[in-house]
């Protein structure tokens, strides 16, 4: 049987990327805030817990509900933490693949949707900041990765609404979009900013084409309404008051957000550019869509400058709200920023390759089957060096994942069976590179969460030097 080179490449990239992360799911354990949410659920019940979080902690109504209610340790199960990363990894792969297939068909792109999916899937998994807290740590996964999955579903529904020609199809995709919006907006503040930004872009396009406005009106109004409900939650202001920002004014926050935006472009853009430069058919992108850009006399120089400024802008609007309100942004909060950056960068790269003759020629040359069958696998393996994919393989082959899983569950069993007032916890051995970990320490945050959940008066950390 003759093996199609594109199918071979796609299968290799996808399998090489997803395999270690799927296996690591079964070494995952509950950590940190998972216990805090679980204890609130067990103490207050579902509705009272959600009301408490909305009033006192944040407006993230979906994330709070998911972390507390879908949390296995809320019901006393410590060995079911493989479920949520497995579902999120599978859900992301499925939703991204569906969206890209739809895009290739909708825009009539002469590229292979499967290979495009595999390249973007690899890029996202290999470079997303703090993969462990994004996918494996439940408190981080439902807050930052769950809305990404539904954002893909929402974008797919938007595309379908543009081409829907029956009432049934319109209503179906409107319902899918509305449900997706409800989930997306209820997870974190950064994704709220981005989904409204995407809606504004769609709205501008609708004004430009003077078409399809009515079928999108409900989506825009609904997004605005639930965004206000989420952002104005009393809990958001309560959490914000915990961070003093007297010396962190608007200008300083803006400069900080701008510097991070430039860093992201410098750190990740080149890798995505090299990957997509190997995708056959990208050079003919301009022949199929975005011809309206010619009306604005977009030259080679202008398209590069405008594209870079646009990317800096979308990164800035992601970084600034968190930096201005809390003075910092954790690595897991980069997830929605990184996701939006990847999507817009891919479009910009396609347009740049099609517009600049030298890049067009390179694309024609290196995307040849006989070259890409060798070049792409080498490129994928090289880019994964010392990044998420390779670190995931290291966790598996070095025994760090299995050792970590055993140590943590053994500690939880000991705490669950403990009858003493004070318990001493030893340091972790063989800490994993990808799997997240939260362990008792000097700041006593984890200690306190364990004490409440396991009903122990005092948990002390035994330092290795003691």
């Amino acid at each position: 049987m003759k093996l199609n080179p594109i199918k071979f490449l796609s299968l290799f990239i996808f399998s090489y990327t997803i395999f270690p992360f799927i296996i690591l799911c079964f070494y995952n354990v509950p950590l940190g805030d998972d216990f805090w949410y679980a204890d609130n659920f067990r103490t207050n019940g579902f509705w009272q817990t959600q009301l408490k979080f909305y009033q006192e902690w944040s407006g993230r109504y979906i994330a709070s509900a998911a972390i507390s209610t879908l949390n296995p340790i809320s019901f006393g199960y410590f060995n079911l933490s493989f479920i949520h990363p497995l579902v999120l990894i599978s859900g992301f792969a499925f939703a991204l693949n569906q969206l890209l297939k739809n895009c290739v068909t909708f825009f009539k792109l002469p590229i292979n949707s499967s290979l495009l999916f595999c390249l973007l899937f690899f890029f996202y998994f290999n470079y997303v900041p703090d993969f462990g807290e994004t996918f494996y740590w439940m408190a981080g996964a439902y807050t930052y990765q769950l809305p990404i999955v539904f954002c893909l579903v929402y974008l797919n529904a938007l595309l379908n609404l543009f081409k829907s020609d029956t009432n049934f199809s319109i209503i179906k995709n409107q319902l899918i979009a509305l449900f997706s919006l409800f989930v997306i907006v209820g997870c974190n503040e950064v994704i709220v900013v981005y989904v409204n930004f995407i809606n504004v872009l769609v709205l501008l396009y609708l004004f430009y084409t003077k078409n399809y406005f009515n079928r999108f009106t409900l989506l825009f109004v609904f997004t605005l309404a639930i965004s206000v409900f989420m952002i104005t939650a009393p809990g958001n202001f309560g959490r914000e008051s915990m961070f003093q920002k007297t010396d962190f004014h608007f200008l300083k926050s803006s400069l900080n957000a701008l510097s991070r935006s430039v860093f992201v472009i410098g750190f990740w853009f080149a890798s995505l550019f090299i990957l997509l430069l190997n995708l056959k058919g990208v050079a003919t992108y301009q022949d199929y869509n975005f011809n309206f850009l010619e009306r604005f006399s977009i030259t080679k120089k202008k398209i590069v400058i405008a594209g870079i400024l646009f990317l800096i802008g979308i990164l800035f609007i992601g970084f600034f709200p968190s930096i201005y309100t809390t003075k910092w942004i954790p690595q897991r909060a980069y997830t929605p920023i990184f996701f939006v950056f990847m999507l817009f960068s891919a479009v910009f790269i396609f347009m740049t390759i099609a517009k600049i003759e030298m890049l067009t020629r390179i694309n024609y040359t290196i995307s040849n089957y006989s070259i890409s069958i060798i070049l792409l696998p080498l490129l994928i393996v090289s880019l994964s060096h010392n990044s998420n994919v390779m670190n995931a393989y290291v966790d598996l082959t070095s025994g760090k994942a299995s050792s970590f899983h055993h140590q943590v569950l053994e500690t939880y069993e000991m705490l669950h069976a403990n009858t003493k007032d004070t318990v001493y916890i030893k340091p972790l051995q063989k800490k994993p590179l990808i799997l997240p970990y939260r362990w008792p320490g000097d700041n006593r945050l984890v200690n306190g969460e364990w004490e409440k959940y396991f009903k122990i008066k005092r948990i002390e950390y035994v330092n290795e030097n003691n």
Side-chain angles (χ1 to χ4, degrees), residues 268-288:
W268 286 304
F269 185 80
S271 296
L272 183 59
F273 190 93
I274 293 172
L275 285 172
L276 296 183
L277 191 60
N278 286 268
L279 190 61
K280 189 176 181 63
V282 174
T284 57
Y285 185 68
Q286 63 181 354
D287 298 331
Y288 290 83

Side-chain angles (χ1 to χ4, degrees), residues 4 31-33 53 80 91 109 133-134 191 210 212-213 223 228 242 246 251 258 290 307 349 360 377 387 410 458 466:
N4 185 302
L31 294 168
D33 289 356
F53 285 144
L80 297 180
L109 302 176
E133 294 197 353
T134 296
I191 202 70
K210 300 177 182 178
Y212 298 109
F213 185 72
T223 305
V228 171
M242 298 171 58
T246 53
L251 180 58
L258 183 62
F290 290 94
I349 289 169
T360 301
S387 294
E410 187 178 63
R458 187 77 175 175
N466 292 345

Side-chain angles (χ1 to χ4, degrees), residues 38-245:
D39 183 65
N40 273 280
F41 179 82
R42 296 200 307 178
T43 303
N44 304 309
F46 176 77
W47 291 111
Q48 196 62 34
T49 297
Q50 309 322 312
L51 182 62
K52 176 183 173 65
F53 285 144
Y54 185 80
Q55 293 288 339
E56 300 177 7
W57 183 242
S58 80
R60 301 169 178 175
Y61 54 88
I62 288 294
S64 297
I67 302 167
S68 56
T69 308
L70 302 180
N71 192 340
I73 61 175
S74 295
F75 308 95
Y77 298 101
F78 292 90
N79 57 352
L80 297 180
S81 291
F82 66 90
I83 296 176
H84 70 268
L86 195 61
V87 170
L88 289 175
I89 289 173
S90 304
F92 177 80
F94 176 79
L96 180 62
N97 189 39
Q98 290 298 111
L99 175 64
L100 294 178
K101 278 184 178 180
N102 203 359
C103 285
V104 168
T105 302
F106 183 79
F107 294 109
K108 300 178 182 178
L109 302 176
I111 59 179
N112 185 281
S113 62
S114 295
L115 186 56
L116 173 61
F117 157 71
C118 291
L119 292 178
L120 291 183
F121 184 80
F122 166 78
F123 179 79
Y124 185 81
F125 270 48
N126 194 51
Y127 292 114
V128 65
D130 208 331
F131 191 100
E133 294 197 353
T134 296
F135 279 93
Y136 296 109
W137 183 39
M138 181 174 291
Y142 284 140
T143 303
Y144 295 104
Q145 184 56 36
L146 179 65
I148 298 302
V149 175
F150 279 92
C151 190
L152 289 167
V153 176
Y154 176 62
L155 292 174
N156 199 43
L158 284 180
L159 275 183
N160 288 333
L161 281 173
F162 274 103
K163 62 182 181 180
S164 297
D165 53 5
T166 65
N167 288 333
F168 174 78
S169 180
I170 292 172
I171 294 173
K172 181 188 75 172
N173 285 292
Q174 283 179 330
L175 291 175
I176 292 173
L178 288 171
F179 180 76
S180 299
L181 286 169
F182 182 73
V183 175
I184 294 167
V185 173
C187 288
N188 68 79
E189 295 78 14
V190 176
I191 202 70
V192 172
V193 174
Y194 278 130
V195 77
N196 279 280
F197 176 72
I198 290 171
N199 281 354
V200 169
L201 292 182
V202 175
L203 185 61
L204 291 175
Y205 180 75
L206 292 173
F207 277 123
Y208 174 79
T209 59
K210 300 177 182 178
N211 202 358
Y212 298 109
F213 185 72
N214 288 337
R215 64 180 64 177
F216 292 93
T217 304
L218 178 61
L219 305 184
F220 298 148
V221 174
F222 182 73
T223 305
L224 185 61
I226 58 175
S227 296
V228 171
F229 173 78
M230 192 272 198
I231 296 296
T232 59
N236 288 333
F237 300 99
R239 189 172 78 249
E240 181 185 349
S241 65
M242 298 171 58
F243 300 90
Q244 298 297 325
K245 52 179 183 294

